Amino acid sequence: MTDEDPREGRIRLGRRRDKATESLDAIEMAENVMEATEEAMGPPDPAVLLVEEQRRLIKAQVSNERMGFVLRVMTALVGVVFVAGLAMMVWTAANSRAVVVDPFDSPYGLTRRGHTGQVIARGVADVVTTIGTDARNSAESRAVALNWTRDVAVVVPSTGVSLGEIDKLLRGWFGKETHIGGAVTVSQDGEVSLTIRADGVRGRTFTGPEAEMPRLITEAAEYIYGRFEPQLFASYLLETRRYEDAERFIPVAYAAHPTSRAALAYDWGILLATLGRPAEAADKLRLSLNIEPGDPDVWEMLVTTLFDAEGEEAAARAARQMAARSTPDGEPMLSANGLLLTQDWTGAIERAEADIDRTGGEGALGGQEISLADSEGRRHDYAGAFRHLAGAAPDAPLTLAARRMIETYRALGSGDRAGALTAAEALDAIWQSDEDVAFTFYEAPCFLGLAEGLSGRYAQAEAAFVRGDRYMSCAAFRADVLEARGLHAEADRQYGVAIRLAPSLPFAYQRRALTLLARGDAARAVTRFRDAHQRGPRWADPLKGWGDALAAQGRWAEAAAKYVEAEPFAPEWRELHLAHAVALDRLGRRQDAEAQREKAAT
C-alpha cells in the first residue's frame, strides 16, 4: 500500500505510451526513406559485386591455407615423436639383456592349490635374483662380467595390442633376452615333476612331493643360473659354504665354459684350500694365473696358499714374482702377505690405510683395524696399536686376541717375562677356540713358546713350538730359549735350522744377530744384522740392531746413521730414540740428542 494518488499513476502511464508511439513512427519513417532511396538508385553494380566476391574467396583461401599449414606441422610433429619413440623402443630392445621368466604350464589341480604358473615363475625369478645379489659384490670386486642377471622379470601374458605388447615384440626381434620357462606335471601317486628350460640350455626335470615345491623351484633356478653364470654361481656356493655342491659344480663348469676358466680355477683353488688341501689349491691357482697372469687377487691367494702348502720360503718367492708385475698405475703389484713375511710393517700400515680410504672405512672393523693394530705393535708403537683397537668391535674374538698379542709384544720388548707369559697364555686360550684367530695370528704358539721358555717352563715351551714347528719364528724362538738356557752350541745349530727354513726372509737372521750381540760378538752381529736388513729393507729392527752393534764398537757416527735410517719404519719406538740420543751425545750433538729424548718421552 502507498499513499500515491491514482491519478498521478495514470498520467505517467499515458506519457510512456506517447513516447513508444513516437519511436515506432520514427522507425517506420526511416524504413520508408530507405525503400525510396533504393528505388531511386537502381540495381547494384556487377563489378562491385565481383570484387566483393573475390575478396571473400581470397579470405577463405588464406584461412584454409593457414589451417592446412598448421595441420601439416602438427602431423609432422606427431610423426617425429612417433618415430623417435619407436627408435627408442628399438634401441632399448636391442640392448636388452634381461632374464625373462615366462609363466610355467601348471595342471589345474596344482593351480587350485596355489601353484599357478605365475607363482612358480615368480619363485624362479626370486631365486635367480637372490643368487645374483649375494654373489655380485665379490664378482664386481674382481671385475667378473655381469652380463646376464642384472634385470630379472616375470612376464604375464596380456590380450590385445598395446605399447607393452609392441615392446615385447621388439625385444624378441632385436634383443638378447634370456627366456626361462617350463612345465609342472603330477603323477598318479601325487609326485610333482618340475621341468625347467631356457634359451640354449637343455631342459632338466626335478622331482619330489608337492610339499617340497619350494626346494624343486630353488634347485631348478640354480641349475639354470649355473649354466649361464658359472663364475657367479661358484662364488655363491663358496660364500654360502656349500662346499660339497661347489666340489661337484666347479669341475663340470670349468670343462664346459672355456671363457670362464680363469675365474673358475680361482674359485676351485679357494675351495680346495678351504677343504684343507693346499697343495691341490696351489695347482689350481697356478692354472688360473696361466690363463690370466695379471690378476692380483689370484696372486695374493697363491701366496697365502703356498704358505700352508710349501712353507714361508715358497710363499715369499711367489710374492716376489707378484711384485715383479705392475698395477695399471705402473706400481709394483705388492702382496699383503709378502709385506708381512719381509716384516714391512710400515708398508702393511700404508696398505691398510689406503684400503680404508678406498672403501670409506666400510668393513674396517674387525678387519683392517686389527691389521693396523698388529702392525703398529710390531713396529713398537703400542699406544698407536691400542688406539686402533679402540675402533674395532670390543668383544669380538679377533679384537680380544689382538689386544693380548700386542701386550705380548710389549712385554717381550721390555724384558717383562712374567707379563709376556700372562698375555701369551690368554692369547692362546682364544687362539685354540676360534678358527679366525688361529688363521690371523698363526705365530701365536711361537710367542707362547718363547714366553714359556724365558720363564723356565721348558717342557711347555717345547709343546708350543711343536704346534708351530713349520714356522720360521718357532724355529728361531726355540733357538732363543736354548740360548737363554746357556746351551749355546745347540742354539747355534737351531738358528741354522731357522735360517734354512726361509733363507730369503729376515726374521731368523735378526734373532741370530741379537744373540751374537748379547754374547759380545759385535762384529759378527753386524754381519747378521746386515743380512736381515738386505732381506727386510723396510724393517726397523735390523737397522737399530746394526746401530747398536756399531755403537758397541765405538763407531758412534755410523751408529747414528743407522738409527736415522730406522726411524721412518718405527717413528714411535722409544728405545730407538734413546739409543740415537746416546750416539748423538757421544758425537757432541747435545741439542739433537735432547730432541731424540723428547721423542722418546712422548
Side-chain angles (χ1 to χ4, degrees):
M1 294 292 293
T2 66
D3 296 333
E4 183 182 15
D5 189 341
R7 289 176 295 178
E8 292 294 331
R10 286 195 293 272
I11 292 171
R12 284 197 298 273
L13 183 59
R15 288 175 179 170
R16 291 172 182 168
R17 186 171 58 247
D18 292 342
K19 288 182 179 179
T21 302
E22 290 175 0
S23 297
L24 290 172
D25 291 344
I27 292 171
E28 186 175 344
M29 289 175 63
E31 289 177 350
N32 292 336
V33 171
M34 290 177 67
E35 289 176 359
T37 302
E38 287 179 358
E39 291 177 358
M41 291 176 63
D45 188 347
V48 174
L49 294 175
L50 179 61
V51 171
E52 291 180 355
E53 184 65 22
Q54 288 178 342
R55 185 184 296 120
R56 285 194 296 271
L57 291 173
I58 291 171
K59 288 175 66 177
Q61 183 177 358
V62 169
S63 178
N64 289 337
E65 289 180 354
R66 287 176 178 172
M67 288 299 297
F69 176 75
V70 171
L71 289 173
R72 287 194 297 272
V73 170
M74 292 180 65
T75 302
L77 288 175
V78 171
V80 170
V81 171
F82 176 78
V83 171
L86 184 61
M88 180 61 70
M89 292 176 69
V90 171
W91 184 87
T92 302
N95 288 274
S96 174
R97 301 294 185 273
V99 178
V100 179
V101 185
D102 298 310
F104 280 53
D105 295 331
S106 181
Y108 178 70
L110 284 179
T111 300
R112 288 183 58 192
R113 293 189 291 275
H115 299 302
T116 67
Q118 294 176 19
V119 169
I120 296 171
R122 200 172 305 280
V124 171
D126 288 344
V127 173
V128 169
T129 302
T130 299
I131 297 173
T133 301
D134 289 347
R136 185 163 287 123
N137 290 336
S138 63
E140 287 182 341
S141 70
R142 299 192 59 250
V144 175
L146 303 171
N147 56 5
W148 187 67
T149 54
R150 286 196 179 276
D151 184 13
V152 182
V154 176
V155 174
V156 179
S158 59
T159 59
V161 178
S162 64
L163 287 177
E165 289 298 312
I166 294 174
D167 181 63
K168 180 180 177 181
L169 185 63
L170 291 174
R171 287 172 183 266
W173 285 349
F174 301 108
K176 295 182 180 179
E177 295 179 333
T178 300
H179 282 263
I180 299 174
V184 182
T185 60
V186 182
S187 66
Q188 292 182 352
D189 57 2
E191 191 173 60
V192 173
S193 295
L194 189 156
T195 300
I196 193 169
R197 59 184 66 90
D199 298 336
V201 175
R202 180 180 300 175
R204 184 170 176 180
T205 300
F206 299 84
T207 304
E210 184 179 344
E212 296 184 7
M213 181 67 79
R215 176 184 63 81
L216 300 179
I217 292 174
T218 298
E219 291 179 353
E222 289 182 349
Y223 164 73
I224 291 295
Y225 193 102
R227 270 53 189 178
F228 281 103
E229 289 285 11
Q231 301 171 39
L232 281 178
F233 190 59
S235 297
Y236 169 75
L237 292 175
L238 293 177
E239 289 178 5
T240 54
R241 301 188 177 187
R242 292 170 54 182
Y243 302 131
E244 292 183 3
D245 292 336
E247 198 166 11
R248 285 191 295 269
F249 172 78
I250 293 177
V252 175
Y254 180 87
H257 297 275
T259 58
S260 299
R261 283 178 179 169
L264 288 169
Y266 170 70
D267 289 330
W268 204 346
I270 292 176
L271 171 65
L272 292 169
T274 304
L275 295 177
R277 295 150 61 183
E280 297 174 69
D283 289 340
K284 301 307 178 188
L285 294 168
R286 290 189 179 103
L287 182 61
S288 179
L289 289 173
N290 288 338
I291 302 169
E292 186 57 58
D295 192 327
D297 290 331
V298 183
W299 274 109
E300 189 68 77
M301 189 63 193
L302 178 62
V303 173
T304 304
T305 303
L306 285 174
F307 188 91
D308 290 328
E310 301 176 23
E312 291 155 297
E313 183 65 24
R317 184 166 54 251
R320 289 192 294 270
Q321 293 171 347
M322 179 179 174
R325 296 187 171 275
S326 299
T327 67
D329 298 331
E331 298 294 327
M333 192 183 292
L334 298 179
S335 161
N337 287 296
L339 296 175
L340 306 185
L341 289 169
T342 58
Q343 314 291 313
D344 185 358
W345 309 113
T346 301
I349 290 169
E350 292 169 350
R351 184 186 181 103
E353 289 176 340
D355 287 343
I356 291 174
D357 290 340
R358 186 176 63 253
T359 61
E362 182 179 355
L365 297 184
Q368 296 294 12
E369 292 293 347
I370 298 298
S371 175
L372 284 168
D374 186 65
S375 296
E376 290 288 15
R378 289 286 192 139
R379 65 178 193 171
H380 312 283
D381 182 5
Y382 309 114
F386 289 127
R387 280 196 299 273
H388 285 298
L389 283 185
D395 297 327
L398 275 173
T399 306
L400 298 173
R403 183 172 298 279
R404 297 305 185 189
M405 188 80 258
I406 293 163
E407 291 171 353
T408 304
Y409 298 151
R410 182 174 60 181
L412 288 171
S414 64
D416 180 5
R417 296 182 176 184
L421 181 59
T422 300
E425 287 180 333
L427 169 61
D428 189 59
I430 307 171
W431 189 92
Q432 295 198 58
S433 63
D434 190 282
E435 291 183 359
D436 290 336
V437 171
F439 177 80
T440 303
F441 297 105
Y442 65 91
E443 290 179 311
C446 305
F447 282 91
L448 175 63
L450 178 61
E452 297 273 16
L454 295 179
S455 299
R457 303 172 59 174
Y458 305 125
Q460 293 90 331
E462 186 58 29
F465 290 140
V466 168
R467 285 159 53 192
D469 199 46
R470 60 197 180 92
Y471 299 135
M472 173 183 52
S473 55
C474 275
F477 286 156
R478 181 184 275 125
D480 289 346
V481 171
L482 291 169
E483 179 69 17
R485 295 174 64 182
L487 304 174
H488 304 306
E490 291 86 340
D492 289 342
R493 284 193 292 272
Q494 184 60 36
Y495 284 124
V497 171
I499 288 173
R500 286 191 294 275
L501 279 175
S504 70
L505 295 178
F507 190 81
Y509 296 95
Q510 169 71 9
R511 303 307 296 184
R512 173 64 169 153
L514 288 172
T515 293
L516 291 172
L517 182 58
R519 291 179 185 175
D521 192 348
R524 290 179 63 198
V526 165
T527 300
R528 285 310 187 194
F529 282 127
R530 182 186 296 114
D531 291 338
H533 172 64
Q534 290 173 348
R535 291 158 177 80
R538 288 168 60 86
W539 187 19
D541 291 43
L543 288 167
K544 181 194 178 287
W546 195 345
D548 292 344
L550 293 169
Q553 299 176 68
R555 299 158 64 180
W556 297 107
E558 295 174 74
K562 293 305 173 186
Y563 296 142
V564 170
E565 287 184 55
E567 186 168 342
F569 308 119
E572 306 299 328
W573 190 0
R574 181 175 180 273
E575 286 71 18
L576 172 62
H577 295 307
L578 291 176
H580 194 184
V582 171
L584 293 171
D585 277 333
R586 291 300 185 111
L587 294 171
R589 297 166 56 184
R590 308 298 181 191
Q591 188 172 356
D592 292 337
E594 185 60 30
Q596 288 297 321
R597 279 188 282 270
E598 289 178 0
K599 289 183 179 180
T602 58

